[in-house]
Amino acid sequence: TRCYIYMVKIRLKRIGARNHPVYRVVAADSRSPRDGKFIEELGTYHPSRTTNNVELKLDRIDHWISCGAQPSETVASFIKQARKAAAQEEAPANA
């Protein structure tokens, strides 16, 4: 697995049309602009949806965090929610 020397951030990149925001969760160099170049797409966020509005690749996010990437505050809250949801899905299956 390849880790990068420069500072990597896990953050949102806006791709939606005007007044209809949609965001990608990406691993990007901290020096690149918000909607600029990124290293890898890690998920999506649809703020207009009421349920299931965040989809994340938790295995890839774990990889980037192990390489030293820092998630933004918003993305950190999404990761926390996704881990909680994944734990709840596993609990009934084990019971």
Side-chain angles (χ1 to χ4, degrees), residues 6-74:
Y6 47 84
M7 188 64 179
V8 175
K9 294 274 189 185
I10 300 174
R11 63 185 185 199
L12 297 174
K13 173 182 178 171
R14 185 180 166 131
I15 57 168
R18 184 174 43 165
N19 298 324
H20 297 284
V22 177
Y23 297 90
R24 286 185 180 149
V25 179
V26 297
D29 184 346
S30 61
R31 299 169 292 184
S32 66
R34 180 195 74 176
D35 296 339
K37 193 169 97 173
F38 63 93
I39 303 165
E40 182 179 359
E41 182 180 337
L42 304 171
T44 56
Y45 169 52
H46 301 269
S48 57
R49 292 185 191 166
T50 54
T51 59
N52 288 339
N53 59 353
V54 178
E55 299 162 13
L56 297 175
K57 300 175 187 171
L58 287 176
D59 58 331
R60 295 303 299 160
I61 289 172
D62 291 339
H63 163 76
W64 282 108
I65 290 175
S66 72
C67 287
Q70 296 292 317
S72 67
E73 287 183 23
T74 305

